[in-house]
């Protein structure tokens, strides 16, 4: 893979490969047909995950511990040729091994079978009645009309090609259905092309394995469940919160919906133009700050109703040029279905292929109908105005989901405005759009009317209706900002982390940025020295492992006719070169290919004879000893922590795109590790809060928040406990400022790692950080977290807070957890050793707050 997968992508790929392995085994052993889906929110990188899956299918993967399927063929299907073209480009960009293995099936396709180790792209338009690929297909399916006669007798129909492929010995045809929610209203209704392919038609058998991919897989899943004799394997679902935390999606949606009836469409179009112009200025300023030559060029998407009249289009263009007169003559294009250039009055509006829009930065305004909601992808689309009227939740989810991708595939540190997207929806149903907005805030992939989760830790993004921009508050002393940026925050440990590969990634990054000279060579030398030492320390185990490498153990079973049972005789034989090579490759999976190769070179350099085979045998033996591998991983982790700590200050001077690499490496931790906060630069907050019944109320404003509007105030929605805590802290001597800690995974949010009831690592994000000036003039920070003791996570979070205070308490004045019990606010001060001990030994959070361990707040 050319890309490094995000942690959630890695997990999803493993799960998909497991499902495919299971489906393949059932098919070849029992002729069992299978289907399942990958459900991931729009922007999660589904095509990148699919590319990793296909690469592992074709070539095997040490990373995912999977062997190649030598008979694998992938048929990638969508209902739109532009989607296929875009998917092919993205797979090619992601998977280095697949460059020459991606073929679009054109109308003149003449192969008799689909070749193994190939990905074929097919779209519904090419299978329309009368098309070259289906001319002459036998009308054996009663639901299919008779097709035209074949014009080229040497060309087989696509259905014959599929049959030949499925029937070939040792072959596995994987049918990947992109945008799987489309064309799947009822899978028993064989009228749609995709359903014909899945069920079997015109002489072709049913698809052995169907793998659906979509942000909204419910329609696909329900339809597939209706098909008899096909196993439904569990869906692989990607947690949208993890996608949000990765920085691939925007944090905020600014949603504009009119509250009054009337002709407001052009008025809101003018507002949308103002928004995209402001976005253009903001991205230009960011590019100048980061000294980037390749800057983001924001796009305004204008979605119109089907079959707009020339007068309607002319009215839209008139408003655009009135509000944006500096636009070039070629700055407006369209992606309408007819694929022909338009002339609206005297204004030419050329057609552009959807997959080209992202790179065609001269296009600043794009006119669209359905294309924007059906798989089209353009991360620089920063503002959308839609004149369509649609109330279907799936449609609206797909539409808004298209606008959530971050242009640089990463979050912009400290800038909430650049991490947001504007959607102007003058004709959308307000109630449905608000429900969709609530769904998007929770990061769900489908509407769930029974979902009443209000835990702010589970909110993946905000939907804002009337935000005010917030900037650093000039009333807050400068020293406060220095303290904020020095506050320790913690990584949340990840699964499937390989410490040696983490060190490899860090060494490459440090060498690239010139922060540690020859970091790659230093890392290899360090780990080779560790292997030398462990070869001596664990000599007996290594000697036994060497013997296992050089011999193959087996047993012979003997039986006689007429007698029951067998007599078993174990024996050993010398391993041949292939077996030794396999043992070495296994060591490479455990130690990493890079380290195994480096250690072989290290041994050869030390050996007078330079015996390469002997070096591979020694390396293979070391890789077979679990204690050796564990010690090497421990040393790799230790070196990573040391280098990250040594370069913490120097890395802050790097541009954001380089710091993103280090953020990813820091996140690949097996234990909580210290990172630092980033000070916010630009924020935004709603002035009003929208209640469940649709009513709105003004939010109260507060002073001395680190981020404030021009008048020095900040609107914040606080519950009763939080209001009491803020009022109490603001009245204390020396109080100089406060910070409402963001509840989502950003670099501006203080995170404290803790283990939940299942042992899984999660992040506690305390509500408040307060700042005060002491008698000597220094500024100190206090962490105060109001949290209900009745919640199931109360005790695990307290334990995480206790561990944090144990290690970093000296860097704060107070670390406190506050809860209400018996009508009073009670507080646990985690900087006190006796409180930490009580928390660790407690079985009930409420009892802690009611005991003498706590005090009145």
């Amino acid at each position: 893979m050319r890309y490094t997968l995000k942690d959630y992508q890695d997990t999803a790929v493993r799960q998909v490969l497991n499902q495919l392995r299971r489906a393949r085994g059932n098919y070849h052993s029992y002729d069992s047909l299978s289907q399942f889906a990958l459900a991931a929110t729009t922007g999660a990188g589904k095509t990148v995950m699919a590319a990793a899956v296909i690469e592992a299918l074709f070539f095997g993967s040490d990373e995912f511990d999977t062997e190649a399927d030598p008979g694998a063929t992938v048929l990638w299907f969508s209902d739109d040729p532009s989607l296929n073209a875009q998917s092919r480009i993205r797979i090619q960009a992601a998977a280095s091994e697949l460059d020459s293995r991606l073929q679009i099936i054109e109308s003149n396709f003449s192969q008799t079978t689909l070749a193994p180790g190939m990905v074929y792209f097919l779209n519904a338009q090419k299978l329309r009645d009368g098309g070259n690929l289906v001319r002459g297909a036998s009308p054996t399916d009663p639901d299919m009309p008779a097709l035209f006669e074949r014009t080229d007798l040497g060309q087989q129909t696509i259905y014959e090609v599929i049959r030949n492929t499925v029937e070939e010995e040792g072959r596995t045809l994987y049918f990947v259905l992109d945008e799987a929610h489309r064309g799947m209203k009822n899978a028993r209704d064989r009228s749609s092309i995709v359903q014909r392919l899945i069920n079997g038609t015109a002489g072709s058998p049913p698809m052995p394995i169907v793998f659906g991919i979509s942000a909204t897989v419910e329609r696909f899943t329900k339809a597939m469940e209706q098909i008899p004799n096909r196993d439904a394997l569990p869906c692989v679902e990607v947690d949208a919160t993890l996608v949000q935390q990765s920085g691939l999606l925007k944090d905020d949606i600014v949603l504009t919906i009119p509250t009054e009836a009337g002709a407001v469409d052009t008025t809101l179009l003018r507002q949308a133009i103002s928004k995209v112009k402001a976005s253009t200025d903001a991205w230009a300023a960011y590019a100048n700050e980061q000294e980037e030559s390749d800057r983001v060029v924001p796009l305004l998407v204008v979605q119109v109703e089907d079959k707009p009249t020339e007068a309607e289009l002319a009215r839209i263009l008139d408003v655009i040029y009135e509000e944006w007169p500096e636009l070039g003559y070629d700055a407006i294009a369209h992606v309408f279905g007819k694929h022909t250039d338009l002339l609206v009055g005297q204004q030419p509006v050329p057609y552009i292929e959807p997959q080209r829009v992202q790179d065609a930065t001269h296009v600043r305004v794009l006119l669209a109908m359905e294309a924007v909601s059906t798989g089209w992808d353009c991360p620089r689309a920063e503002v959308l105005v839609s004149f369509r009227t649609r109330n279907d939740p799936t449609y609206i989810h797909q539409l808004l989901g298209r606008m959530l991708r971050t242009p640089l595939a990463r979050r912009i540190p400290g800038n909430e405005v650049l991490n947001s997207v504007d959607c102007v929806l003058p004709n959308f149903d307000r109630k449905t759009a608000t429900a969709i907005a609530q769904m998007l805030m929770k990061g769900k992939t489908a509407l769930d009317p029974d979902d009443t989760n209000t835990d702010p830790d589970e909110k993946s993004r905000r939907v804002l209706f009337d935000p005010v921009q917030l900037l650093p508050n000039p009333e807050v002393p400068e020293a406060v900002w220095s303290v904020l940026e020095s506050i320790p925050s913690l990584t949340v440990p990840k699964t499937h982390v390989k410490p040696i590969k983490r060190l490899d990634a860090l060494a490459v990054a440090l060498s690239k940025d010139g922060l540690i000279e020859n970091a790659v060579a230093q890392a290899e030398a360090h780990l080779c020295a560790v292997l030398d030492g462990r070869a001596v320390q664990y000599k007996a185990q290594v000697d036994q492992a060497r013997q296992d490498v050089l011999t193959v153990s087996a047993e012979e079973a003997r039986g006689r006719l007429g007698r029951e049972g067998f007599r078993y005789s174990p024996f050993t034989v010398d391993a041949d070169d292939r077996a030794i090579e396999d043992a070495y490759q296994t060591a490479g999976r455990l130690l990493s290919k890079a380290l195994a190769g480096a250690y072989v070179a290290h041994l050869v350099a030390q050996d007078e004879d330079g015996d390469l085979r002997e070096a591979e045998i020694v390396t293979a033996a070391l890789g077979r000893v679990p204690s050796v591998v564990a010690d090497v991983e421990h040393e790799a982790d230790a070196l990573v922590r040391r280098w990250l700590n040594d370069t913490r200050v120097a890395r802050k001077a790097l541009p954001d795109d380089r710091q993103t690499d280090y953020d990813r490496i820091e996140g690949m931790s097996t234990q909580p590790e210290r990172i630092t906060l980033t000070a916010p630069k630009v924020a935004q907050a709603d002035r009003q809060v929208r209640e469940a019944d649709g009513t709105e109320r003004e939010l109260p404003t507060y002073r001395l928040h680190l981020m404030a509007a021009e008048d020095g105030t900040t609107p914040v929605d606080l519950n009763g406990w939080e209001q009491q805590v803020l009022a109490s802290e603001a009245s204390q001597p020396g109080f100089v400022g406060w910070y409402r800690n963001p509840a989502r995974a950003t670099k501006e949010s203080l995170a404290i790692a803790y283990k939940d009831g299942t042992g899984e690592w999660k992040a506690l994000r305390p509500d408040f950080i307060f700042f005060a000036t002491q008698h000597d003039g220094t500024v100190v920070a206090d962490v105060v977290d109001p949290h209900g003791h009745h919640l199931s996570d109360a005790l695990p979070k307290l334990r995480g807070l206790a561990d944090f205070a144990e290690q970093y308490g000296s860097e704060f004045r107070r670390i406190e957890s506050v809860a209400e019990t018996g009508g009073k606010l009670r507080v646990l001060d985690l900087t006190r050793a006796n409180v930490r001990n009580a928390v660790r030994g407690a079985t009930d959070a409420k009892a802690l707050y009611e005991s003498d361990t706590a005090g009145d707040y």
Side-chain angles (χ1 to χ4, degrees):
M1 287 290 290
R2 291 189 175 99
Y3 300 153
T4 300
L5 297 180
K6 306 288 187 182
D7 188 62
Y8 73 84
Q9 293 173 330
D10 181 282
T11 299
V13 168
R14 291 175 188 276
Q15 293 173 343
V16 169
L17 287 169
N18 286 338
Q19 297 288 56
L20 292 177
R21 185 162 46 244
R22 174 180 171 185
R24 180 171 69 248
N26 290 344
Y27 173 67
H28 288 294
S29 299
Y30 311 108
D31 290 328
S32 178
L33 307 177
S34 303
Q35 63 86 7
F36 72 99
L38 169 64
T41 187
T42 303
K46 294 184 287 294
T47 309
V48 171
M49 288 185 268
V53 167
I54 294 169
E55 196 173 60
L57 275 179
F58 289 175
F59 305 104
S61 171
D62 296 337
E63 185 74 19
F64 300 113
D65 299 320
T66 188
E67 295 182 355
D69 176 4
T73 300
V74 173
L75 181 58
W76 186 287
F77 187 88
S78 77
D79 65 350
D80 190 309
S82 65
L83 294 186
N84 270 352
Q86 181 170 263
S87 296
R88 181 178 179 275
I89 291 170
R90 294 163 108 192
I91 292 173
Q92 192 170 38
S96 55
E97 299 288 341
L98 299 179
D99 283 351
S100 61
R101 297 173 178 267
L102 309 173
Q103 181 177 346
I104 292 178
I105 295 179
E106 302 292 359
S107 298
N108 59 353
F109 186 79
S110 60
Q111 295 175 206
T112 58
T113 63
L114 303 177
M118 292 288 294
V119 183
Y120 294 93
F121 295 87
L122 184 63
N123 65 79
Q125 281 84 339
K126 290 191 175 74
L127 302 185
R128 302 293 184 199
D129 296 344
N132 283 347
L133 289 176
V134 296
R135 282 180 182 267
S138 173
T140 55
D141 188 334
D143 293 321
M144 285 185 62
L147 302 182
F148 294 92
E149 292 187 4
R150 187 176 308 177
T151 56
D152 180 359
L153 296 179
Q155 178 181 351
Q156 294 192 323
T157 70
I158 191 63
Y159 303 117
E160 291 171 323
V161 173
I162 290 172
R163 183 191 64 214
N164 295 340
T165 303
V166 171
E167 292 178 351
E168 190 167 297
E169 185 70 24
R171 297 293 296 283
T172 313
L173 181 59
Y174 301 89
F175 185 72
V176 179
L177 182 58
D178 195 12
E179 297 295 323
H181 61 284
R182 297 178 61 80
M184 297 298 296
K185 291 184 179 179
N186 185 340
R188 282 188 167 177
D189 176 6
R190 299 165 66 90
S191 60
S192 79
I193 288 174
V194 64
Q195 289 155 12
R196 294 177 196 170
L197 282 171
I198 291 173
N199 294 328
T201 186
S204 71
M207 289 294 169
I209 300 170
V210 178
F211 171 32
I213 303 175
S214 178
T216 48
V217 299
E218 291 74 19
R219 188 179 295 168
F220 166 82
T221 302
K222 289 178 181 178
M224 295 297 293
E225 287 173 351
Q226 299 171 24
I227 302 176
N229 303 320
R230 184 176 285 276
D231 293 336
L233 303 182
C235 177
V236 175
E237 296 191 58
V238 174
D239 186 343
T241 303
L242 299 179
V243 183
Q244 190 67 39
Q245 292 173 359
S246 74
L248 290 178
L249 301 182
K250 297 277 193 176
D251 290 325
D252 296 337
I253 302 172
V254 180
L255 199 59
T256 301
I257 302 174
T259 57
E260 60 184 54
V264 299
D265 51 354
T266 55
T267 300
L268 292 183
L269 175 58
R270 294 179 194 275
Q271 183 184 18
I273 295 167
S274 176
K275 288 176 178 288
V276 77
K277 292 169 72 175
S279 177
T280 300
D281 293 341
W283 279 110
Y286 178 74
N288 291 335
E289 172 195 312
Q290 296 291 310
E291 298 181 350
E292 290 184 356
S293 57
D294 188 16
R295 63 183 57 189
V296 174
V297 181
L299 178 75
L300 168 64
V301 178
V302 179
Q303 192 181 37
V304 300
E305 291 281 10
D306 293 337
K307 299 179 181 178
T309 66
E310 184 172 343
E312 290 169 339
L313 293 177
R315 184 172 63 250
I316 290 171
L317 295 184
D318 288 345
V319 171
I320 291 172
Y321 278 108
E322 285 175 14
E323 296 296 314
W324 207 349
E326 61 271 27
L327 277 183
Y329 72 94
D330 60 346
I332 301 179
H334 77 89
V335 287
F336 296 165
K338 289 187 177 181
H339 298 191
T340 57
D341 295 346
L342 303 178
L343 185 64
V344 181
Q346 299 300 312
Q347 173 65 41
V349 181
Y351 169 77
I352 184 171
E353 295 174 324
Q355 66 270 21
R356 290 185 52 235
V357 176
Q358 173 66 18
D359 296 324
T361 54
H362 65 280
V363 176
R364 304 302 309 280
V365 179
L366 186 71
L367 305 181
M369 292 183 194
E370 286 285 352
V372 71
S373 62
T374 56
W376 175 76
D377 183 21
C378 182
R380 70 182 181 95
E382 291 279 279
V383 181
L384 164 73
V385 57
S386 176
F387 294 124
R388 300 177 73 88
T389 304
R390 296 295 292 267
N391 298 328
D392 176 54
T394 296
Y395 174 86
I396 298 176
H397 183 197
Q398 289 283 337
L399 171 64
L400 295 182
R402 297 295 156 201
M403 306 297 297
L404 290 175
R405 291 175 172 84
T406 49
L408 300 177
R410 58 179 171 84
R411 182 178 285 110
I412 306 303
N415 195 318
E416 291 184 348
V417 171
L418 292 184
N419 293 324
S420 66
V421 63
D422 283 276
C423 293
V424 182
L425 308 172
N427 299 326
F428 270 49
D429 175 86
R430 184 175 184 80
K431 181 178 179 181
T432 305
T434 301
I436 294 290
Q438 293 171 344
M439 174 192 69
L440 289 169
M441 282 192 291
K442 295 175 182 177
K444 305 299 180 184
T445 56
L447 280 174
D448 181 1
D450 299 323
D451 186 359
T452 57
N453 181 14
T454 57
D455 185 348
D457 288 348
E458 298 300 323
K459 303 293 186 185
S460 61
R461 66 176 64 91
R462 298 180 300 176
V463 175
L464 308 174
F465 289 89
D466 183 27
V468 58
Q469 188 171 103
L470 309 175
L471 297 173
N473 192 341
E475 297 179 23
V476 174
E478 188 63 33
V480 168
W481 294 96
S482 299
V483 172
L484 177 71
E485 292 186 295
S486 69
I487 286 176
S489 185
L490 297 182
T491 61
V492 179
K494 302 294 194 302
T495 56
H496 305 303
V497 171
K498 296 190 175 182
I500 300 171
K501 290 195 173 183
R502 185 190 186 202
L503 176 59
D504 289 343
L506 178 60
V508 169
L510 292 173
S511 294
K512 178 178 180 178
D513 295 319
L515 300 182
I516 292 182
E517 188 175 355
N518 297 322
V520 174
Q522 285 193 51
E524 288 180 349
H526 179 75
L527 295 186
C528 285
V530 173
L531 285 170
D532 284 342
R534 298 311 183 270
V536 175
Q537 181 179 350
Y538 300 108
K539 186 176 185 303
Q541 295 99 308
V542 174
D543 288 345
Q544 179 60 54
R546 178 189 175 89
Q547 185 64 24
D548 293 340
V549 170
L550 294 175
T551 58
V552 175
S553 299
E555 61 182 9
E556 184 179 70
R558 291 176 177 264
R560 286 188 177 182
L561 290 175
R563 289 188 180 182
E564 293 186 0
F566 291 88
R567 182 163 53 87
Y568 296 93
S569 303
F571 67 93
T572 60
V573 294
D574 291 341
D576 62 10
D577 286 346
R578 186 166 181 265
I580 293 173
E581 177 64 22
D582 182 69
Y584 171 68
Q585 294 297 333
T586 299
R589 285 197 293 271
L590 295 169
L591 296 171
S592 85
K593 285 184 178 179
L595 178 56
Y599 193 62
V600 165
H602 166 74
L603 293 176
V604 169
Q606 290 182 330
D607 185 359
E608 292 182 0
D609 299 327
D611 190 339
L612 178 62
R613 175 57 73 191
E614 173 62 19
E616 289 181 342
I617 292 170
V618 171
T619 304
L622 288 168
R624 283 185 174 229
V625 179
S627 298
V628 171
V629 176
D631 284 3
V632 172
E633 289 181 339
H634 176 77
E635 289 294 332
D637 251 344
L639 185 55
V640 166
R641 287 194 298 271
R642 175 157 64 85
W643 277 356
L644 286 173
N645 184 66
D646 291 347
T647 61
R648 179 169 286 113
V649 175
R651 285 187 282 116
K652 287 194 173 185
L654 296 174
D656 289 347
D657 65 326
R658 293 300 308 132
Q659 294 202 41
T660 299
D661 270 3
Y662 294 101
D663 293 341
R664 177 181 59 82
I665 293 166
E666 286 181 326
M668 295 165 63
S669 59
T670 56
Q671 294 295 320
E673 293 179 9
R674 177 176 181 155
I675 55 177
T676 54
L677 290 179
T678 295
K681 301 173 184 176
V682 182
Q684 53 188 353
D686 256 338
R687 298 181 177 90
Q688 297 178 320
V689 64
R690 182 160 303 180
E691 305 292 358
D693 60 2
T695 60
E696 297 178 346
R697 60 177 173 83
E698 290 288 330
L699 284 172
T701 59
Y702 302 89
R703 303 197 72 86
L704 290 181
H705 187 270
L706 269 60
M707 303 297 289
E710 287 186 8
D711 63 358
T713 66
T714 306
V716 184
D717 188 17
L718 302 177
N719 63 32
W721 295 3
E722 293 166 343
Q723 291 174 13
Q724 291 183 56
V725 168
L726 177 56
S728 174
E729 296 293 334
S731 66
Q732 299 302 313
F735 174 79
V736 290
W738 64 289
Y739 184 54
R740 179 61 184 264
N741 193 43
R744 56 178 181 254
T746 68
K747 295 181 69 173
E748 305 90 70
S749 175
L750 167 60
I752 297 173
Y754 74 97
K755 283 187 176 180
D756 66 9
T758 66
E760 181 181 351
W761 284 104
K762 291 190 174 180
L764 159 66
R765 301 184 186 278
D767 284 341
F768 295 113
I769 305 175
F770 296 105
F771 300 90
T773 302
Q774 299 191 112
H775 64 277
D776 61 358
T778 58
V779 173
V780 292
D782 298 324
V783 172
V784 181
D785 185 39
H787 190 75
H789 56 64
H790 61 286
L791 299 174
S792 60
D793 62 357
L795 205 51
K797 284 185 174 179
L798 278 173
R799 288 173 180 148
L801 206 57
D803 292 341
F804 180 79
E806 179 89 44
Q807 191 164 5
Y808 302 106
S810 61
E811 301 185 45
F812 299 88
R813 186 175 63 173
R814 292 180 295 145
I815 299 176
E816 297 182 339
S817 179
V818 177
E820 183 181 41
T821 181
K824 289 184 178 181
L825 286 183
R826 300 277 287 172
V827 59
L828 293 167
D829 182 357
L830 281 307
T831 59
R832 294 168 50 193
N834 68 309
V835 173
R836 295 196 296 272
N837 292 334
V839 165
R840 288 167 180 148
T843 58
D844 179 61
K846 182 180 179 182
L848 273 173
Y849 288 100
E850 292 177 339
S851 71
D852 292 340
T853 303
D856 290 338
Y857 181 73

